[in-house]
Short mmCIF file of all heavy atoms in Angstrom, two decimals:
data_model
loop_
_atom_site.label_atom_id
_atom_site.label_comp_id
_atom_site.label_asym_id
_atom_site.label_seq_id
_atom_site.Cartn_x
_atom_site.Cartn_y
_atom_site.Cartn_z
N GLN U 144 166.34 4.73 219.43
CA GLN U 144 165.53 5.92 219.13
C GLN U 144 165.05 5.80 217.69
O GLN U 144 165.72 5.21 216.86
CB GLN U 144 166.41 7.18 219.20
CG GLN U 144 167.20 7.34 220.46
CD GLN U 144 166.45 8.11 221.53
OE1 GLN U 144 165.41 8.70 221.24
NE2 GLN U 144 166.94 8.08 222.74
N GLY U 145 163.92 6.38 217.42
CA GLY U 145 163.40 6.37 216.05
C GLY U 145 162.32 7.40 215.92
O GLY U 145 162.25 8.34 216.71
N GLU U 146 161.51 7.20 214.91
CA GLU U 146 160.40 8.14 214.74
C GLU U 146 159.14 7.36 214.45
O GLU U 146 159.20 6.18 214.05
CB GLU U 146 160.71 9.13 213.62
CG GLU U 146 161.05 8.47 212.32
CD GLU U 146 161.63 9.46 211.30
OE1 GLU U 146 161.48 10.68 211.51
OE2 GLU U 146 162.20 8.99 210.32
N ILE U 147 158.01 8.02 214.68
CA ILE U 147 156.73 7.36 214.45
C ILE U 147 155.90 8.27 213.55
O ILE U 147 155.67 9.43 213.88
CB ILE U 147 155.98 7.15 215.79
CG1 ILE U 147 156.83 6.30 216.73
CG2 ILE U 147 154.63 6.49 215.55
CD1 ILE U 147 156.56 6.57 218.19
N TRP U 148 155.52 7.71 212.41
CA TRP U 148 154.64 8.44 211.50
C TRP U 148 153.22 7.96 211.74
O TRP U 148 152.98 6.75 211.81
CB TRP U 148 155.05 8.19 210.05
CG TRP U 148 156.42 8.72 209.76
CD1 TRP U 148 157.59 8.01 209.76
CD2 TRP U 148 156.76 10.07 209.47
NE1 TRP U 148 158.65 8.85 209.49
CE2 TRP U 148 158.17 10.13 209.30
CE3 TRP U 148 156.02 11.25 209.33
CZ2 TRP U 148 158.84 11.31 209.01
CZ3 TRP U 148 156.69 12.43 209.04
CH2 TRP U 148 158.09 12.44 208.88
N LEU U 149 152.30 8.90 211.87
CA LEU U 149 150.89 8.55 212.05
C LEU U 149 150.10 9.13 210.89
O LEU U 149 150.40 10.23 210.41
CB LEU U 149 150.34 9.14 213.35
CG LEU U 149 150.93 8.64 214.67
CD1 LEU U 149 150.24 9.35 215.84
CD2 LEU U 149 150.78 7.14 214.82
N GLY U 150 149.09 8.41 210.45
CA GLY U 150 148.25 8.92 209.37
C GLY U 150 146.99 8.10 209.23
O GLY U 150 146.78 7.13 209.97
N SER U 151 146.17 8.50 208.27
CA SER U 151 144.88 7.82 208.08
C SER U 151 144.85 7.16 206.71
O SER U 151 145.14 7.82 205.70
CB SER U 151 143.76 8.87 208.18
OG SER U 151 142.59 8.36 207.61
N LEU U 152 144.50 5.86 206.67
CA LEU U 152 144.40 5.16 205.38
C LEU U 152 143.23 5.71 204.59
O LEU U 152 143.18 5.58 203.38
CB LEU U 152 144.24 3.66 205.59
CG LEU U 152 145.46 2.90 206.12
CD1 LEU U 152 145.14 1.42 206.27
CD2 LEU U 152 146.67 3.08 205.20
N GLU U 153 142.28 6.29 205.30
CA GLU U 153 141.09 6.83 204.61
C GLU U 153 141.19 8.32 204.37
O GLU U 153 140.18 8.98 204.06
CB GLU U 153 139.84 6.46 205.41
CG GLU U 153 139.71 4.95 205.47
CD GLU U 153 138.52 4.45 206.23
OE1 GLU U 153 138.00 5.20 207.06
OE2 GLU U 153 138.11 3.32 205.96
N ARG U 154 142.42 8.82 204.53
CA ARG U 154 142.71 10.24 204.26
C ARG U 154 141.91 11.21 205.12
O ARG U 154 141.57 12.30 204.69
CB ARG U 154 142.49 10.58 202.78
CG ARG U 154 143.14 9.58 201.86
CD ARG U 154 144.32 10.16 201.18
NE ARG U 154 145.10 9.09 200.60
CZ ARG U 154 145.52 9.07 199.37
NH1 ARG U 154 145.26 10.07 198.59
NH2 ARG U 154 146.26 8.08 198.93
N HIS U 155 141.58 10.78 206.34
CA HIS U 155 140.93 11.71 207.27
C HIS U 155 141.97 12.73 207.71
O HIS U 155 143.16 12.44 207.72
CB HIS U 155 140.42 10.96 208.51
CG HIS U 155 139.23 10.10 208.22
ND1 HIS U 155 138.08 10.60 207.68
CD2 HIS U 155 139.02 8.78 208.41
CE1 HIS U 155 137.21 9.63 207.54
NE2 HIS U 155 137.76 8.50 207.97
N PRO U 156 141.52 13.93 208.13
CA PRO U 156 142.49 14.92 208.61
C PRO U 156 143.07 14.51 209.96
O PRO U 156 142.55 13.61 210.63
CB PRO U 156 141.66 16.20 208.73
CG PRO U 156 140.25 15.74 208.85
CD PRO U 156 140.14 14.43 208.15
N GLU U 157 144.12 15.20 210.35
CA GLU U 157 144.80 14.93 211.63
C GLU U 157 143.83 15.15 212.80
O GLU U 157 143.23 16.22 212.90
CB GLU U 157 145.98 15.90 211.72
CG GLU U 157 146.72 15.81 213.01
CD GLU U 157 147.90 16.78 213.06
OE1 GLU U 157 148.26 17.37 212.02
OE2 GLU U 157 148.44 16.95 214.15
N PRO U 158 143.68 14.17 213.66
CA PRO U 158 142.79 14.36 214.80
C PRO U 158 143.36 15.40 215.77
O PRO U 158 144.55 15.36 216.09
CB PRO U 158 142.76 12.99 215.48
CG PRO U 158 143.41 12.05 214.54
CD PRO U 158 144.28 12.83 213.64
N GLU U 159 142.50 16.27 216.20
CA GLU U 159 142.95 17.38 217.04
C GLU U 159 143.61 16.87 218.33
O GLU U 159 143.05 15.99 219.00
CB GLU U 159 141.73 18.23 217.41
CG GLU U 159 142.08 19.64 217.79
CD GLU U 159 140.81 20.43 218.09
OE1 GLU U 159 139.83 20.25 217.37
OE2 GLU U 159 140.85 21.18 219.07
N GLY U 160 144.75 17.39 218.64
CA GLY U 160 145.39 17.09 219.92
C GLY U 160 146.20 15.80 219.97
O GLY U 160 146.98 15.61 220.89
N LEU U 161 146.04 14.93 218.96
CA LEU U 161 146.69 13.61 219.05
C LEU U 161 148.23 13.72 219.08
O LEU U 161 148.89 13.14 219.95
CB LEU U 161 146.26 12.72 217.88
CG LEU U 161 146.95 11.37 217.80
CD1 LEU U 161 146.56 10.47 218.97
CD2 LEU U 161 146.66 10.66 216.48
N ILE U 162 148.76 14.47 218.15
CA ILE U 162 150.22 14.55 218.05
C ILE U 162 150.80 15.24 219.29
O ILE U 162 151.78 14.76 219.88
CB ILE U 162 150.64 15.28 216.74
CG1 ILE U 162 150.13 14.52 215.51
CG2 ILE U 162 152.16 15.50 216.69
CD1 ILE U 162 150.73 13.16 215.28
N ASN U 163 150.17 16.34 219.70
CA ASN U 163 150.67 17.05 220.89
C ASN U 163 150.59 16.17 222.12
O ASN U 163 151.50 16.17 222.95
CB ASN U 163 149.87 18.33 221.13
CG ASN U 163 150.29 19.40 220.16
OD1 ASN U 163 151.35 19.27 219.51
ND2 ASN U 163 149.48 20.43 220.02
N ASN U 164 149.51 15.42 222.20
CA ASN U 164 149.32 14.52 223.32
C ASN U 164 150.48 13.49 223.39
O ASN U 164 151.05 13.23 224.46
CB ASN U 164 147.97 13.84 223.11
CG ASN U 164 147.53 12.98 224.27
OD1 ASN U 164 146.75 12.06 224.08
ND2 ASN U 164 148.01 13.26 225.46
N CYS U 165 150.85 12.96 222.24
CA CYS U 165 151.96 11.98 222.21
C CYS U 165 153.29 12.68 222.49
O CYS U 165 154.11 12.18 223.27
CB CYS U 165 152.02 11.29 220.85
SG CYS U 165 150.61 10.23 220.53
N ARG U 166 153.49 13.82 221.86
CA ARG U 166 154.77 14.53 222.05
C ARG U 166 154.94 14.96 223.50
O ARG U 166 156.05 14.94 224.02
CB ARG U 166 154.83 15.75 221.13
CG ARG U 166 154.99 15.34 219.69
CD ARG U 166 155.90 16.32 218.97
NE ARG U 166 155.94 15.98 217.55
CZ ARG U 166 155.59 16.79 216.58
NH1 ARG U 166 155.20 18.02 216.84
NH2 ARG U 166 155.66 16.39 215.34
N ASP U 167 153.83 15.36 224.16
CA ASP U 167 153.92 15.74 225.58
C ASP U 167 154.45 14.56 226.40
O ASP U 167 155.03 14.75 227.47
CB ASP U 167 152.54 16.16 226.12
CG ASP U 167 152.11 17.51 225.57
OD1 ASP U 167 152.96 18.22 224.99
OD2 ASP U 167 150.91 17.86 225.72
N ALA U 168 154.21 13.35 225.92
CA ALA U 168 154.70 12.17 226.62
C ALA U 168 156.04 11.69 226.04
O ALA U 168 156.43 10.53 226.26
CB ALA U 168 153.64 11.07 226.54
N GLN U 169 156.72 12.54 225.30
CA GLN U 169 158.03 12.22 224.69
C GLN U 169 157.92 11.07 223.69
O GLN U 169 158.90 10.33 223.48
CB GLN U 169 159.08 11.85 225.77
CG GLN U 169 159.19 12.81 226.93
CD GLN U 169 159.57 14.22 226.48
OE1 GLN U 169 160.41 14.38 225.61
NE2 GLN U 169 158.93 15.22 227.06
N ILE U 170 156.74 10.91 223.09
CA ILE U 170 156.60 9.90 222.03
C ILE U 170 156.73 10.67 220.71
O ILE U 170 155.91 11.53 220.42
CB ILE U 170 155.24 9.16 222.14
CG1 ILE U 170 155.14 8.47 223.51
CG2 ILE U 170 155.07 8.16 221.01
CD1 ILE U 170 153.76 7.92 223.84
N PRO U 171 157.79 10.38 219.93
CA PRO U 171 158.15 11.26 218.80
C PRO U 171 157.28 11.03 217.55
O PRO U 171 157.72 10.45 216.56
CB PRO U 171 159.61 10.89 218.53
CG PRO U 171 159.72 9.48 218.97
CD PRO U 171 158.75 9.26 220.09
N CYS U 172 156.03 11.48 217.63
CA CYS U 172 155.08 11.26 216.53
C CYS U 172 155.02 12.46 215.59
O CYS U 172 155.10 13.59 216.03
CB CYS U 172 153.67 11.06 217.09
SG CYS U 172 153.51 9.52 217.98
N THR U 173 154.83 12.16 214.33
CA THR U 173 154.61 13.20 213.31
C THR U 173 153.44 12.75 212.45
O THR U 173 153.35 11.57 212.09
CB THR U 173 155.87 13.36 212.41
OG1 THR U 173 156.99 13.59 213.27
CG2 THR U 173 155.73 14.51 211.45
N TRP U 174 152.56 13.67 212.13
CA TRP U 174 151.42 13.34 211.26
C TRP U 174 151.86 13.39 209.81
O TRP U 174 152.65 14.26 209.42
CB TRP U 174 150.28 14.34 211.48
CG TRP U 174 149.06 13.99 210.67
CD1 TRP U 174 148.67 14.57 209.50
CD2 TRP U 174 148.10 12.98 210.97
NE1 TRP U 174 147.52 13.97 209.04
CE2 TRP U 174 147.15 12.99 209.92
CE3 TRP U 174 147.95 12.05 212.01
CZ2 TRP U 174 146.05 12.12 209.90
CZ3 TRP U 174 146.87 11.18 211.98
CH2 TRP U 174 145.93 11.22 210.95
N THR U 175 151.39 12.45 209.00
CA THR U 175 151.66 12.51 207.57
C THR U 175 150.37 12.24 206.79
O THR U 175 149.60 11.34 207.17
CB THR U 175 152.77 11.51 207.14
OG1 THR U 175 152.82 11.51 205.70
CG2 THR U 175 152.53 10.10 207.62
N ALA U 176 150.20 13.00 205.72
CA ALA U 176 149.02 12.78 204.87
C ALA U 176 149.26 11.61 203.91
O ALA U 176 148.36 11.18 203.20
CB ALA U 176 148.72 14.06 204.09
N THR U 177 150.51 11.09 203.90
CA THR U 177 150.84 10.03 202.94
C THR U 177 151.34 8.78 203.67
O THR U 177 152.37 8.21 203.32
CB THR U 177 151.90 10.53 201.93
OG1 THR U 177 153.02 11.01 202.69
CG2 THR U 177 151.36 11.64 201.05
N ILE U 178 150.60 8.38 204.69
CA ILE U 178 151.04 7.23 205.49
C ILE U 178 151.11 5.95 204.65
O ILE U 178 151.96 5.09 204.88
CB ILE U 178 150.13 7.01 206.74
CG1 ILE U 178 150.73 5.98 207.71
CG2 ILE U 178 148.71 6.61 206.36
CD1 ILE U 178 151.91 6.42 208.47
N GLU U 179 150.21 5.83 203.66
CA GLU U 179 150.22 4.61 202.84
C GLU U 179 151.54 4.47 202.09
O GLU U 179 152.09 3.37 201.97
CB GLU U 179 149.06 4.64 201.84
CG GLU U 179 147.97 3.67 202.24
CD GLU U 179 146.92 3.56 201.17
OE1 GLU U 179 146.32 4.60 200.85
OE2 GLU U 179 146.69 2.44 200.66
N THR U 180 152.06 5.60 201.62
CA THR U 180 153.36 5.58 200.94
C THR U 180 154.45 5.11 201.91
O THR U 180 155.28 4.27 201.58
CB THR U 180 153.70 7.00 200.41
OG1 THR U 180 152.65 7.42 199.57
CG2 THR U 180 155.01 7.03 199.67
N THR U 181 154.40 5.66 203.13
CA THR U 181 155.39 5.28 204.15
C THR U 181 155.31 3.78 204.43
O THR U 181 156.32 3.08 204.50
CB THR U 181 155.11 6.06 205.46
OG1 THR U 181 155.00 7.43 205.14
CG2 THR U 181 156.17 5.84 206.50
N LEU U 182 154.07 3.28 204.59
CA LEU U 182 153.91 1.85 204.94
C LEU U 182 154.31 0.94 203.78
O LEU U 182 154.93 -0.10 203.99
CB LEU U 182 152.46 1.58 205.34
CG LEU U 182 152.02 2.17 206.69
CD1 LEU U 182 150.52 2.05 206.87
CD2 LEU U 182 152.75 1.49 207.84
#
Side-chain angles (χ1 to χ4, degrees):
Q144 308 270 348
E146 55 191 344
I147 301 152
W148 296 97
L149 296 180
S151 162
L152 289 180
E153 297 180 338
R154 312 251 165 130
H155 289 303
E157 176 179 349
E159 202 178 320
L161 175 67
I162 299 294
N163 284 345
N164 187 205
C165 293
R166 289 217 185 122
D167 288 347
Q169 311 300 319
I170 301 170
C172 291
T173 306
W174 183 259
T175 172
T177 55
I178 190 72
E179 253 188 301
T180 303
T181 309
L182 289 170

